């Protein structure tokens, strides 16, 4: 029931921006991660549950307003060839020594950006800066969630290179919006991550292995579904829009054998683990003593000069 209510609340703005895990899914993932935290952290995170939930989508909104934000959400591994995971340095200082920084940014800096956000969260914990802790926790949840999405690891991010335009939003927005109410999201207690940067790259590698299945499965199903059965029409924000039909969506999710649910669960577990690890590394500060503070309110004035690729 909680999931259904959250979906209803978020439905009104799901499609205002191109989806990255979808606004609904990002918010749901961040929300569920809170419940894996220990009581010492829950005292803050559960109290600010709505902030962690709602602000999960801020990095997507920021893409169109802040230069340098868009490339934090993905990495085009296939740009670097079949050996990308071996030739790409795992740490940012080494990466910019080996490759021109503008080239790295052009093809996505997701894994490095997520790690730097984790480092910033750890520092905020050390300083007991409540506003920064909450903002960075929401941001980190978003970035880690993105890196568990297969299409965030390839230059064919929206199927535009294979005539499958729209598959990005289909996989990470339409599928969870229709089916997540039946998913199981309890992933156990948060655990300490010994090597956070390497753990991020492991998640990226795992997601990238699924790219072929994501694309091939959609292609095969499309050959079996007539256009009038593959798509349907729904009312969104006062407009009639074409969407993937429920029948096609359910068939796709079944053919993928629960991949979307598994990746959502991995995102939830990873986010909780990274929040917990930041807290441990910061010396386990008492989060119950942070008191009241004015939480940051971001403005997202679109910058027409920014060239941001759409999914």
């Amino acid at each position: 029931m909680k999931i259904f209510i959250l979906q209803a609340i978020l439905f009104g703005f799901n499609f205002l921006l191109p989806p990255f895990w979808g606004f609904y899914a990002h918010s749901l993932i961040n929300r569920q991660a809170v419940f894996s935290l220990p009581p010492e952290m829950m005292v803050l995170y559960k109290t600010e549950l709505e902030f962690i939930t709602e602000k999960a989508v801020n990095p997507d909104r920021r893409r169109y307003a802040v230069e340098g934000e868009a490339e934090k959400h993905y990495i085009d591994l296939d740009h670097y060839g079949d050996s990308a995971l071996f030739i790409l340095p795992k740490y940012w200082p080494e990466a910019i020594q080996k490759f021109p920084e503008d080239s790295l940014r052009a093809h996505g800096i997701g894994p490095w950006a997520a790690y730097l956000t984790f480092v910033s969260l750890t520092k905020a914990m050390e300083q007991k800066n409540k506003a920064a802790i909450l903002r960075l926790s929401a941001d980190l949840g978003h970035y880690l969630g993105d890196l568990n999405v297969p299409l965030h690891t390839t230059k064919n991010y929206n199927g535009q290179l294979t005539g499958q335009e729209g598959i990005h939003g289909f996989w990470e927005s339409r599928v969870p919006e229709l089916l997540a109410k039946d998913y199981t999201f309890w992933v156990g207690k948060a655990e300490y991550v010994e090597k956070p940067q390497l753990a991020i790259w492991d998640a990226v590698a795992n997601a990238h292995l699924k790219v072929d299945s994501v694309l091939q499965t959609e292609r095969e199903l499309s050959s079996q579904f007539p256009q009038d059965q593959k798509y349907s029409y729904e009312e969104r924000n006062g407009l009639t829009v074409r969407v993937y039909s429920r029948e096609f969506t359910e068939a796709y999710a079944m053919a993928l054998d629960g991949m979307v649910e598994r990746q959502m669960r991995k995102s939830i577990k990873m986010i909780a683990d990274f929040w917990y690890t930041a807290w441990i590394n910061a010396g386990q500060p008492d989060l119950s003593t942070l008191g009241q503070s004015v939480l940051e309110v971001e403005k997202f004035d679109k910058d027409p000069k920014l060239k941001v690729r759409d999914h």
Side-chain angles (χ1 to χ4, degrees):
M1 178 60 70
K2 289 182 178 179
I3 293 175
F4 176 80
I5 293 173
L6 177 61
Q7 183 174 11
I9 292 173
L10 297 173
F11 184 83
F13 59 88
N14 272 346
F15 290 83
L16 294 180
L17 291 175
F20 291 83
W21 253 132
F23 274 18
Y24 163 62
H26 265 307
S27 296
L28 177 57
I29 287 169
N30 264 20
R31 187 181 189 92
Q32 291 299 129
V34 169
F35 296 101
S36 288
L37 298 176
E40 296 87 348
M41 296 185 70
M42 193 79 78
V43 68
L44 171 64
Y45 282 76
K46 191 172 181 180
T47 301
E48 300 294 345
L49 184 60
E50 294 311 313
F51 183 95
I52 294 293
T53 300
E54 294 171 7
K55 304 309 179 184
V57 303
N58 276 8
D60 276 344
R61 291 169 165 159
R62 203 180 295 138
R63 293 171 63 242
Y64 296 90
V66 178
E67 185 176 1
E69 173 63 36
E71 59 261 35
K72 295 180 180 179
H73 298 246
Y74 64 91
I75 183 168
D76 297 335
L77 287 181
D78 39 11
H79 167 75
Y80 300 94
D82 294 338
S83 301
L85 291 168
F86 297 98
I87 67 173
L88 285 171
K90 301 303 184 288
Y91 297 91
W92 182 245
E94 298 170 7
I96 58 178
Q97 287 182 356
K98 186 171 183 178
F99 297 95
E101 183 172 347
D102 58 348
S103 177
L104 288 169
R105 291 184 178 278
H107 301 288
I109 59 171
W112 300 294
Y115 179 70
L116 292 176
T117 303
F118 164 76
V119 172
S120 295
L121 175 59
T122 304
K123 291 180 180 178
M125 294 256 190
E126 291 174 348
Q127 298 166 357
K128 296 185 178 181
N129 184 332
K130 181 179 179 180
I133 290 171
L134 293 173
R135 174 179 57 80
L136 290 165
S137 293
D139 282 359
L140 180 59
H142 186 107
Y143 297 138
L144 293 178
D146 275 350
L147 295 176
N148 279 283
V149 175
L151 293 172
H152 278 263
T153 70
T154 173
K155 59 187 178 183
N156 191 22
Y157 53 85
N158 195 28
Q160 76 281 4
L161 303 180
T162 50
Q164 296 173 276
E165 290 84 351
I167 191 173
H168 194 118
F170 176 46
W171 190 96
E172 66 177 15
S173 290
R174 183 65 170 168
V175 173
E177 284 166 5
L178 289 182
L179 306 179
K181 66 182 183 298
D182 296 320
Y183 293 169
T184 301
F185 287 129
W186 171 242
V187 295
K189 296 180 180 180
E191 299 173 291
Y192 185 77
V193 182
E194 291 289 345
K195 298 179 179 180
Q197 181 70 95
L198 299 184
I200 291 172
W201 282 98
D202 285 345
V204 171
N206 178 275
H208 190 61
L209 287 174
K210 298 172 172 56
V211 171
D212 287 346
S213 294
V214 168
L215 295 168
Q216 182 62 27
T217 301
E218 194 276 342
R219 185 181 299 109
E220 292 176 353
L221 276 179
S222 293
S223 68
Q224 302 170 21
F225 274 72
Q227 289 289 297
D228 62 345
Q229 294 181 26
K230 179 178 178 179
Y231 299 102
S232 60
Y233 291 88
E234 295 181 357
E235 291 293 324
R236 301 289 178 99
N237 300 312
L239 299 175
T240 299
V241 296
R242 190 175 77 160
V243 296
Y244 289 91
S245 69
R246 173 174 286 275
E247 293 74 18
F248 187 79
T249 303
E250 291 177 345
Y252 182 63
M254 182 176 295
L256 288 176
D257 192 27
M259 180 195 292
V260 176
E261 179 181 2
R262 287 195 302 276
Q263 292 306 106
M264 290 184 74
R265 287 173 56 84
K266 287 180 179 179
S267 297
I268 292 166
K269 183 63 165 67
M270 190 175 187
I271 292 165
D273 288 350
F274 270 65
W275 288 344
Y276 176 66
T277 301
W279 178 68
I280 293 292
N281 288 352
Q284 303 179 52
D286 186 351
L287 301 181
S288 68
T289 63
L290 301 185
Q292 298 295 322
S293 64
V294 178
L295 300 183
E296 301 174 16
V297 178
E298 288 190 71
K299 294 183 179 180
F300 304 102
D301 296 327
K302 187 174 181 180
D303 185 347
K305 297 179 181 179
L306 291 181
K307 295 182 179 180
V308 179
R309 76 184 193 185
D310 290 337
H311 287 331

